[in-house]
Amino acid sequence: MTVLSLDLGPRLSNQNLYRAHTGDTICLQRCPELKGIQINLTCTNPVGEEIVLRQDADRAYFTLSSGGPYRVTWHIVVNPLPLNWTSVSMVTILADPVLTSTNSGPSLTIDQIAAQSHLTKCCGQVQRWEDVFRVSAESGYNTIHLTPVQELGISKSSYSLHSHHKISSSLNLNSGGGYEEDLEMLSRHLQDIHNKTGLFFLTDVVWNHVSICNREILSHPESYYNLYNTPNLIPAYLIDRSIHEFGNTQDNITDVQDLSSFEIKLRNHLLGTAQTLEKLYKIDLNKVLDVKKSTEASLCESQLNKKDINDLIKALWLVNYKEPEYAGDIDVGILRKFLEQRGVTSEPDQNSKISAAICHFNDVEVPTIVDQILNKVISAVMGTVKYRFLDEHGPKLSFGNVPIVDRYFHVSDITFTEELALDIYRKEDAQRIKTCNGWTAGESVSDMNSTMAYTNREVVIWGDSVKLRYGDRREDSPWLWDYMTKYTCDMASLFHGFRIDNCHNTPLHVGEELLRAARHVQPQLYIVAELFTGSEERDCEIINRMGINSCIRELSQSHSPRHLGELIYHYGESKPCGSFIHNIPHGDVVHQPGDENIPLGDQTCTEDNTPQLSLGSSRPHAMLMDQTHDNPCPFDQHPLPNVLALSGLMCAAKCSIGSNRGYDELVPHHIHVVEEERLYQGWSQSDDEDLKPAKKALIKLHQRLEDKGYSETFVDQAREDVVIVTRHHPDTCIKVLVVVATSWSEDSSLTSSYTVSLPGENVKVMLETEILSRQTSPKHTNNKDYIIGLSGVKIDVRENPLSSKMVTVSKPDEGNLDIDLLLTPGCVIAVEVEPPQSSKTALQYFNSYILCPEKFDKDLDKVFSTLDLLDLNYVLYRCNEEERVDGCGGVYHIPHHGNLTYAGIVGFLQVLETVTKNNDTGHPLCRNLCEGWWMADYTVNRLKKKNLKLGFFLEEIFFAVEAVPNYTRPKVFYKIISSVYSACLRQIRKLIPTMKTSVGNSWFVEQLVLTSVQLVGKVGDTGIPVLPQDKESVASLAAGLPHFSHGFMRCWGRDTFIALPGLLIKTGRLDVARDLVVGFARTLRYGLIPNLLSERGHRPRYNCRDAVWWWCRSVKLLYKHQPSILQESVYRLFYKDDSPVSPQTPFVCTVFDVITEVLQRHAAGITFREENAGRELDEHLLDPGFNMTAGVDPETGFIRGGSRHNCGTWMDKVGSSSQAGNKGIPATPRDGSAIELVAMGYQTVSWMAELFESGIGTTSVVNMKTGSTHKTVSYREWSEMIKENFEDKFWCSGGYYGNANGYYRDTLGSESGGDEKLRPNQTFAMVIAPELFKPSHMSEALKTIGTNLAGLVGMSTLSPEDADYQPYYDTGNHGNDYRTAHGFNYHQGPEWVWCMGFYLRAKLRDFQHLKKDNPDCMSDDEIGQYFATVLAPHRAMIASDPYRGLTELTNKGGQHCPNSCPTQAWSSGCLLEFLVELEQSEFSGS
C-alpha cells in the first residue's frame, strides 16, 4: 500500500511528480490540518472516469488498475475558508504501465524497456520487417520504436504526414481494401512479429501538423492556423513577406563584408514594414473615448497595483492587441475605475488623463515595441543566413537556389503578385495564408494567441507542414478533434506505446483528451516524449497533464566526462544506495507528527501489517538513450571508443533505455529523417563488426540488474575520464560496479590502471567489453540501397569470463578488497561484489529479527513493560539543559547540522522524519552514521547511565548489526529507533487512560497527551519542595522547553496550575498532579502561592496574585477524581509570614486547611514587601513595585490587589529599556479586580460553601475587612455577593473603541487605567464561572472577541483598535519606541496560544446555549466543523515543530515569533482540556 498525504496549499500541484506502479493500492491520508475537516474527495482514472473510493474517517483508498494519470481532487467544505487555505487542491499520481504480451510471453515494466528506434520508411515492405527487427532482437532489445507508419508528404520527412488516415503504400500491405483493411493487415504483421520475437512496438504520434499536400484539411480552415482565426499572426506574416521580397533581390554572400552589407540593406528594407506595424499597434483614441463607460468593468488586483495609468494601458494592450482589430480594444471602463480609485472622478478629467496616456503610448511605447521586434527579427535572419551561406560547418548554399530563410507561412497556392495584393483583413484572403509548424526551445508555441515567437522569428520551421488549430474546446474545431481522435485510437490499437512528436508544443488539453481516448483502447499504453522546455517544473506539468511515463534524455549530447556522470546521476539514479524508501514492514503503526499511520519516516504498515510506502515527489522518469534517431551522427562529437562508453553508462542506469539503429551499426553519417531513402539491412545481411554484440551483453546486464532487484544506484566520478555506476541490492547489499572509461580524446591508444578499494569478498566479473581496433582506421563503403556502418571494427565481449584480462583482485586485509582495473579507452567492465561475511551475518540478523515484528517488537514490549512515564520522559525527550543539569553531557551534536532538540529518541526521529521523507541519504545525520556508530553508542550509554533495561537491550541489538555496510547504517539505525518509538507509544497508551478512550484515538489529542510525557520529568535542581527524608527530587512540570527547563525557571506557580488540569488530570496522571498540588501548598505564605521557586522551594518569590487561584482551581478539579486530596498532609515551610524556612517543618495541615487559609487571608487583606527586595531580586522593577497587596472588595466580594507599579497576573511584563524610557514600568499592571481572578475567587468560595453544606469542614465563614473593621461573611454570602455584582460592574456595552459591540471589562478599579481594554482574559472567566455571565451578553462578547482577538493559533492580547496594540514581539528590539523596546509589548498584541483553549471552551458553551434556545440555528456537524477548522493550524504546528509541541505565542496572524518558547505547557494543556470537553459534547461527531 502506498500512502499519499493530502495537504493544503501548493505543495501538491502539477509541478510535483508522484509515481506509482500499476496494481498499487493508494491510501489518501489527510494531513494534520485536514483531520476532522469535511472535504469532498474525488478521483478520476486515466480515461477520465470517476473512481468510487473506499473511505473511512481520515483516509480513502483506490487501486491503480491501469497505467496513466490518476487525478485526485479535494474540495474543503468550510465557509468561510481560513486564511491561506486553498478551497480546491489537486494532485496527479502517475501509474507506470506494464507492457503485457498477448502470447503469454514476459511482460515489461518501464525500467525493463530497451528500445531501438527505426525510420519506418527505411524498414521497407512489411514482408521484410521480421528480418529487419530480428537484428534488434538479437542485439538484446525488447522494444521497437517506429516513426509514423502513415503516408508521407511531399518532403518525405518521417514526420510530415500526407494523411493521418492512410497507411504508407511503401509498406506494401496488399490488404485489397482501404484504410481500415490496411490497419487490420498491419496489426496482424506486428502481432506475428511480437509472437515470434517477443518485441513490443512504439510509434510516434503527430498531432500538431499535417503536410501541406493534405487536401482534407484545406476544406476545414478552422482546423489550421491562418490570419483569419489568429490575427495576431498578421505582423509575423507581414515581416515574413517583406523578408522574402527582399531576399529575391539580393546577390550571393561570399564573405563577412557581404554579410554586413546584407544586414544594412535588410534593416532599411524592413523600415516600411515597421511603419505598418506601428499603425497596427497604435490605439485609436477616438474609438476608445467613444465607448460608453462600462458598468461591468472591474479591476483585478494586478491592474489595481499598476504604478500609473501608463503602465495599465501597456498591460491592457499586451492582452488586447491579439484581437482582429487592434485599435480601440482597450476597455475605457477599466481605465475610468482605475482613475476613480486614485481620486479622479469627473469624466472630463478622466478623458484628459486617458488621452494623454494613450498619446504617450502611441508616440513612445509603440515605436519602442516595434524596434525591439525588428532587432530580434534581424538577429534571427542574420544567424540563419550566416549558417546557410558562410559558416565553415554550414551547407554553404548559393543564392537563387534556396530562399535566404524558410518561410513561416504557406503561400504556395498564391502567386507572388497576388500575394502582394492580398487584403489580409478579408476572411477569404486571410484563410489562404496557412501557418507552418516548427520547433522552439523553451517557449511553447502551443498557444498561438499569446506567443510572439513567430513575430520574432524564433521558430525553426518545418517547411511543408501546416500547424493545426484545435481551439480551446472540441466545438472550436470539431472536424479536427474527430479526425485526430480516430487516428490516435487507431495507433493505440496497433502499438503498445507512443512517442509524442513535438510534445512541448502540443496544447495540454489536446494531449490530455487524445491520450484518454487512446487509453480506452490500450489501458497499458506507454508514453514517452522529448521535452525542451528548459524547466523541470514545466516538464512536470506536461508530464502530469498528459500522463507521460518517460522523458527521453540523450547521452551523446554530453560535452565532457563529468557532464556525462551528471546526466547518469540526474536521470539514471532511481534511489540512492542505502535508501530509506524501501518497502519493509513495520510491526506497529508508528505515529508520526504529521501522519497518523506513518512514523517519523516513510515506511510503516497498517494494523494488519500490510506494508506501506509513503509516496514522495520524484524526478521525471527517463528513457535514457545513448543517441536519439533525429540527431546528427555520434562521430561528429565523439571518438569511436566513446560510442561504446556511452552505451555502457546507459545500460548501467536504472530506467528505460534506448538507442537507434544507425548508432548500433556504427553508421558514420546522419540517417536523416527527411533525406534518407535507403533501407536497413535484415538479419540475413548483418554482420558483427559493430556494436550489436556489445549492446546485447550490455542490455542483458541492464535486464539482470532490474530483474534481480538492484534498485539502488550510486554514481561516482572516479577520475576525470572514469565514471563508476554502482547498482546496489537493498536486502543483500551485493553490489554491481559498472566501470566505464570514457574517451573524449582522438588518441585512443592509451591504457591506464585504476584501483577500487572497498569492503567485500567473492568478486565476480560479469562483463568486459572493449574496442580492439582502436589503432586502425575503420572503413566505410557507401551503398545505394542499404544503410551500412563502419567495417573493420573489432569489439571484444567477454561475459562471465573464467579469467579476466582487465580485473585483478587482492585482499589487503580481512573483509576488504582492492580491485585493480586495466582500462582501455571506451571499455566497460561490470563486477559483482558480495559484502564481507561479517556484514552478511549482520544483515541476516537485521532482516530476520529487526524487520520481523513478531520477534523484535514483542521483545521490545517486554522491555518497556518495566518502564513508567518518568522513564519514558527520559527515553523520548529531555532537552540540552535538562541533560546538563543532571550531568549527562547534553544532547547529541551532528557535525554540519547542529544540536538535536532532545537527547532522547524523538531528537533523532525529528531529524529522520525529514531525512526519510526526502530520502536524503546525503544529510549530515546520515554522513555521521556512515562514519561511525556514535549515535548508537550515545543512545545506549545514556540509557545505561540510568540503569534502564532498554539500554542493555539496545546494546545487544546495535552490537549485532554493527558490521552492516556503512552506507546502510542510517536505514538500520532508523528502523531500530523508530521501532523503539513505536514501543514507547504502546507503553504510553497502556499507562495513560486518555489514550485508550475514544478521544484518545484522535491523532491531535494523542500528540497533546505526549506533551505531558515531554514536559513532566525529574530534574535535579527543580524547585519543587520535598521532605527532608526524600533522597531525590519529585517530578515537576516544566513551563516550557527549552526556555524553562531547569532551576527556578522550570516550575512557575501560575504556569503549573494553568497547565495541570489538561496535562495531568485529563491524562489520568493524578499522582503527579497530587504531588504538585501538595508541593506548592507547602510554600503558602502571605496567603499566596509563589510564582517562582528555587532551592527546593526555600527561596520562593511571591510576586503574583493569581497563582494561588489557579492552584485552588486545580485542587477543585482534582477533587472530582481524587477526593482524598483535601486530606493530604501538607508540611509547611513557613510557620509564619515572616519566619524563615523551617527544615523540621513543625507546622502540618491539610490541603483543605490551605484553601481555608487562602480565603481568610484574602478576606482580611494582604500587605507585604517582597523579601530581599532590590536589584538582586529584580534588576528592572522600581522600588514601589516590591510592595504587594491583595484582598477583597467588601462591597462586591471581588478579589482585588496590586498597583500600577507591579504585575500580579499572567500579563507580567516589566520594561527594561532605559533608552526607550520603559525600564521598571509594568506594561500591563492589571491592578484592581482582574476578571479571571474574580471568577476563580467566586468558583473557590462557591465550592467551599458546597463542601461545608455536604458536611466537609468545620467553618464556612471568613472575617472580611471592611474599612477599619471586620465583618463575618459566609462562603455562600460571599459567592452571592460576587454573582450579584458581576454583570453590572464588568459588562461594557461598547463605545470604548468607537463601536457598539459589547464585551466584558478586563479589570475593575485599575489605577493604571486599563479597565475597558479588550483582552482575552474574560474568556477564562466564562469557562471557570459561566454562571456569572448573562448568556446573551456572553454570546455578544464572544462575537466581539472572535472578530478582534482571535488569531490563527492564539488570541491577540489586545484589540487591534487600541493605541497600545503592537503585535510583533522582539526582545532584541533596542530601539527608542517606548511601546516595543526590549519586548515591552509582550502582552500588547502578540497572540498567545493557551488563551485559545479557553476561548474555544467558551465558544462551545455558547453554541450549547444557542442550540438550546434555537435547535435549528446550526447543525451539530457544522459546529464540529467550525472547531476542526479552527484547530487545523494547531495540528500543523505540533506536526512540524522540532520540539513537538505548541508554542508559547506567535506574532500577528500566526506568524512565527523567534522569541517564543517552542513547546509550552499551558498551550498544550488548555487545548487538551478543550478537546476532551468537545469529545464529551454533542458536537464531537462521534
Side-chain angles (χ1 to χ4, degrees), residues 3-24:
V3 179
L4 177 67
S5 177
L6 302 182
D7 282 0
L8 289 167
R11 189 184 76 82
L12 297 183
S13 70
N14 271 327
Q15 292 182 346
N16 292 320
L17 191 62
Y18 297 89
R19 289 180 52 226
H21 305 288
T22 297
D24 283 356

Side-chain angles (χ1 to χ4, degrees), residues 226-501:
N226 54 62
L227 301 192
Y228 178 75
N229 59 36
T230 317
N232 67 298
L233 288 172
I234 291 174
Y237 170 71
L238 293 174
I239 291 170
D240 186 65
R241 187 178 71 177
S242 182
I243 290 171
H244 283 273
E245 178 188 280
F246 169 76
N248 291 335
T249 66
Q250 300 304 302
D251 297 327
N252 197 15
I253 295 177
T254 59
D255 54 32
V256 175
Q257 187 173 354
D258 289 345
L259 193 67
S260 298
S261 175
F262 180 90
E263 180 176 357
I264 294 170
K265 293 176 183 178
L266 175 63
R267 183 176 293 276
N268 290 333
H269 180 81
L270 289 176
L271 290 178
T273 306
Q275 293 174 358
T276 304
L277 293 186
E278 288 187 19
K279 292 177 182 178
L280 286 173
Y281 287 162
K282 283 183 178 180
I283 299 171
D284 187 333
L285 175 60
N286 293 327
K287 187 172 181 179
V288 170
L289 293 180
D290 278 347
V291 177
K292 297 296 184 182
K293 181 176 180 180
S294 172
T295 56
E296 301 296 324
S298 60
L299 285 169
C300 66
E301 184 177 353
S302 63
Q303 293 169 343
L304 184 62
N305 291 334
K306 293 300 178 185
K307 181 177 67 174
D308 53 33
I309 194 169
N310 291 333
D311 278 358
L312 178 59
I313 285 176
K314 187 174 181 180
L316 293 173
W317 177 88
L318 286 171
V319 175
N320 293 306
Y321 87 97
K322 303 158 191 169
E323 300 303 320
E325 297 178 11
Y326 298 97
D329 258 348
I330 300 293
D331 188 344
V332 71
I334 292 178
L335 300 178
R336 295 194 189 283
K337 289 202 171 185
F338 180 86
L339 292 171
E340 287 173 4
Q341 293 279 345
R342 283 153 175 75
V344 183
T345 56
S346 73
E347 188 168 314
D349 289 345
Q350 290 177 353
N351 289 345
S352 175
K353 288 189 175 296
I354 291 171
S355 298
I358 289 178
C359 289
H360 171 82
F361 179 81
N362 289 340
D363 296 341
V364 177
E365 297 291 349
V366 169
T368 301
I369 291 169
V370 171
D371 190 53
Q372 291 170 348
I373 290 172
L374 289 188
N375 286 336
K376 291 179 181 179
V377 167
I378 292 169
S379 175
V381 171
M382 295 310 299
T384 302
V385 169
K386 181 175 181 292
Y387 171 74
R388 284 186 169 189
F389 301 103
L390 201 60
D391 273 359
E392 186 65 32
H393 298 290
K396 292 189 174 180
L397 304 174
S398 297
F399 268 57
N401 297 330
V402 293
I404 57 172
V405 291
D406 291 325
R407 295 215 63 170
Y408 273 33
F409 297 88
H410 281 296
V411 292
S412 55
D413 56 343
I414 305 172
T415 65
F416 191 69
T417 305
E418 286 179 308
E419 183 188 349
L420 292 176
L422 276 174
D423 181 357
I424 57 176
Y425 294 103
R426 279 200 320 132
K427 178 178 180 180
E428 295 78 7
D429 288 340
Q431 286 181 338
R432 295 168 69 190
I433 310 296
K434 297 176 283 294
T435 307
C436 298
N437 195 27
W439 179 88
T440 59
E443 182 189 358
S444 169
V445 291
S446 60
D447 182 6
M448 295 290 283
N449 289 319
S450 64
T451 183
M452 290 286 287
Y454 276 79
T455 303
N456 294 333
R457 306 287 295 186
E458 295 167 349
V459 184
V460 178
I461 287 298
W462 299 323
D464 70 334
S465 68
V466 176
K467 186 170 180 62
L468 298 176
R469 174 185 174 272
Y470 292 84
D472 295 330
R473 58 194 66 82
R474 181 176 286 270
E475 292 76 14
D476 291 340
S477 190
W479 178 87
L480 180 60
W481 278 94
D482 292 343
Y483 178 85
M484 283 300 182
T485 300
K486 175 170 174 49
Y487 157 68
T488 304
C489 290
D490 288 343
M491 294 304 99
S493 70
L494 293 177
F495 294 93
H496 300 93
F498 292 163
R499 173 187 175 273
I500 303 173
D501 178 60

Side-chain angles (χ1 to χ4, degrees), residues 898-913:
N899 286 347
L900 299 180
T901 52
Y902 293 115
I905 299 300
V906 171
F908 293 102
L909 290 183
Q910 180 267 321
V911 180
L912 280 165
E913 173 191 351

Side-chain angles (χ1 to χ4, degrees), residues 1107-1144:
V1108 69
W1109 298 109
W1110 290 111
W1111 177 87
C1112 288
R1113 173 177 178 264
S1114 294
V1115 177
K1116 178 179 183 293
L1117 294 174
L1118 182 58
Y1119 173 77
K1120 294 179 182 179
H1121 303 274
Q1122 198 177 71
S1124 62
I1125 184 61
L1126 293 180
Q1127 305 310 317
E1128 285 286 339
S1129 296
V1130 178
Y1131 292 78
R1132 300 281 291 275
L1133 292 180
F1134 301 98
Y1135 184 68
K1136 295 180 180 180
D1137 287 349
D1138 56 355
S1139 65
V1141 172
S1142 173
Q1144 301 304 317

